[in-house]
């Protein structure tokens, strides 16, 4: 487990050990369906950021700094199964709609900071959340977000603290190129069905429908409109 200390914010990692312990124990449990997260945990390539409140922008500068460093580290060594998880201390009573709003507020804030710092958008993906080829971009690298929180309706998304897990889009492309993506995806779906009794209807392949619909874990309505808007060029 990599809990790289951020030298710009040395005071801010005081809760990292507890956050790591909670998330590590959660992922290690046999029913947890995401085999990619289990692989990252086993390889020590799951980075953890501990943050205060998902409804507040208090830690957004620090989170964005970690994302940029994470993207740069990946480009220097593009090995599979790396993720960056931001575990918030709370609040733990958000319903699904409340968590969804908070998650997109954090995403918008982080993206705006990327623009402010002059970071290029990863041109392999679209910045339009209505586009089937949409992904987020931080530090020039595309990311897919998985939200976890205590009151999620899907068991696979249920965790003691509000959490945002940033997964690298390029790793999905690597798996496709190696012919491993479909097998891994099916394994996750089978495990999720065993846990929940049904497959997650929100899960689609990149390019079939916008992945923005999947981020919060809520089963969004057919006419759902993503609140994110890219403010760069």
């Amino acid at each position: 487990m990599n809990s790289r200390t951020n030298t710009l914010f040395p005071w801010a990692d005081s809760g990292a050990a507890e956050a790591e312990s909670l998330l590590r124990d959660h992922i290690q449990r046999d029913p947890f369906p995401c085999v990619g997260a289990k692989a990252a945990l086993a390889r020590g390539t799951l980075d953890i950021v501990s943050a205060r409140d998902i409804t507040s922008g208090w830690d957004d500068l620090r989170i964005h700094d970690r994302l940029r460093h994470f993207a740069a580290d990946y480009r220097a060594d593009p090995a599979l199964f790396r993720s960056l998880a931001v575990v918030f201390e709370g609040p733990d009573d958000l319903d699904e709609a409340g968590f969804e709003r908070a998650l997109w507020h954090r995403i918008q804030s982080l993206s705006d900071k990327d623009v402010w710092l002059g970071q290029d958008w990863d041109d392999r993906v679209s910045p339009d959340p209505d586009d089937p080829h949409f992904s987020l971009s931080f530090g020039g690298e595309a990311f897919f977000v998985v939200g976890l929180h205590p009151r999620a309706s899907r068991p696979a998304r249920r965790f003691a603290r509000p959490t945002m897990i940033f997964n690298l889009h390029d790793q999905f492309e690597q798996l496709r190129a190696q012919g491993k993506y479909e097998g891994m995806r099916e394994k996750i779906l089978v495990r999720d069905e065993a846990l929940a009794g049904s497959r997650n209807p929100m899960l689609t392949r990149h390019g079939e429908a916008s992945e923005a619909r999947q981020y919060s874990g809520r089963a969004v309505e057919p006419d759902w409109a993503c609140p994110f808007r890219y403010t760069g060029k």
Side-chain angles (χ1 to χ4, degrees):
M1 182 78 67
N2 184 354
S3 58
R4 171 182 178 169
T5 300
N6 192 312
T7 55
L8 292 178
F9 308 92
W11 66 87
D13 286 311
S14 59
E18 183 181 4
E20 284 187 12
S21 179
L22 285 170
L23 190 59
R24 180 175 63 247
D25 291 347
H26 183 73
I27 292 172
Q28 283 179 331
R29 292 173 186 161
D30 185 62
F32 186 75
C34 183
V35 293
K38 288 180 179 292
L41 183 65
R43 297 181 183 202
T45 51
L46 177 62
D47 284 11
I48 301 289
V49 176
S50 175
R52 289 193 180 185
D53 186 334
I54 196 172
T55 66
S56 165
W58 181 274
D59 290 295
D60 286 355
L61 279 172
R62 183 168 62 94
I63 295 167
H64 181 260
D65 185 71
R66 290 287 289 269
L67 278 167
R68 287 193 302 112
H69 281 93
F70 185 81
D73 289 348
Y74 176 72
R75 282 193 293 273
D77 179 19
L80 281 171
F81 304 118
R82 291 185 178 183
S83 295
L84 176 69
V86 182
V87 181
F88 296 87
E89 292 178 6
D92 59 7
D93 59 351
L94 293 173
D95 61 15
E96 288 197 302
F99 174 77
E100 180 180 78
R101 284 192 298 271
L103 177 139
W104 284 107
H105 284 157
R106 300 281 63 72
I107 288 172
Q108 186 69 62
S109 175
L110 295 170
S111 179
D112 290 347
K113 287 165 179 54
D114 213 62
V115 172
W116 180 65
L117 289 172
Q119 301 295 301
D120 292 329
W121 189 272
D122 188 334
D123 60 10
R124 295 171 296 179
V125 297
S126 171
D128 179 0
D130 295 325
D131 191 315
H133 297 280
F134 168 77
S135 276
L136 296 170
S137 178
F138 302 107
E141 200 69 37
F143 285 88
F144 175 98
V145 173
V146 174
L148 311 175
H149 66 107
R151 297 179 64 184
S153 57
R154 298 289 305 183
R157 296 295 192 103
R158 206 173 293 150
F159 177 54
R161 294 186 179 181
T163 298
M164 297 171 65
I165 301 179
F166 294 82
N167 297 305
L168 291 147
H169 172 81
D170 186 66
Q171 295 193 124
F172 295 107
E173 297 304 320
Q174 278 199 61
L175 289 167
R176 285 188 179 94
Q178 296 173 13
K180 298 177 180 178
Y181 174 77
E182 290 298 333
M184 182 174 173
R185 181 177 185 274
E186 181 63 19
K187 184 179 291 186
I188 293 172
L189 288 171
V190 168
R191 290 175 59 87
D192 185 48
E193 184 175 16
L195 181 63
S198 64
R199 295 194 174 195
N200 189 339
M202 291 290 101
L203 297 185
T204 58
R205 295 173 181 83
H206 186 80
E208 293 180 346
S210 173
E211 66 185 38
R213 301 175 66 85
Q214 304 179 39
Y215 285 5
S216 76
R218 185 175 74 88
V220 302
E221 301 78 12
D223 61 349
W224 177 80
C226 179
F228 172 77
R229 292 295 177 267
Y230 179 55
T231 58
K233 294 181 180 178

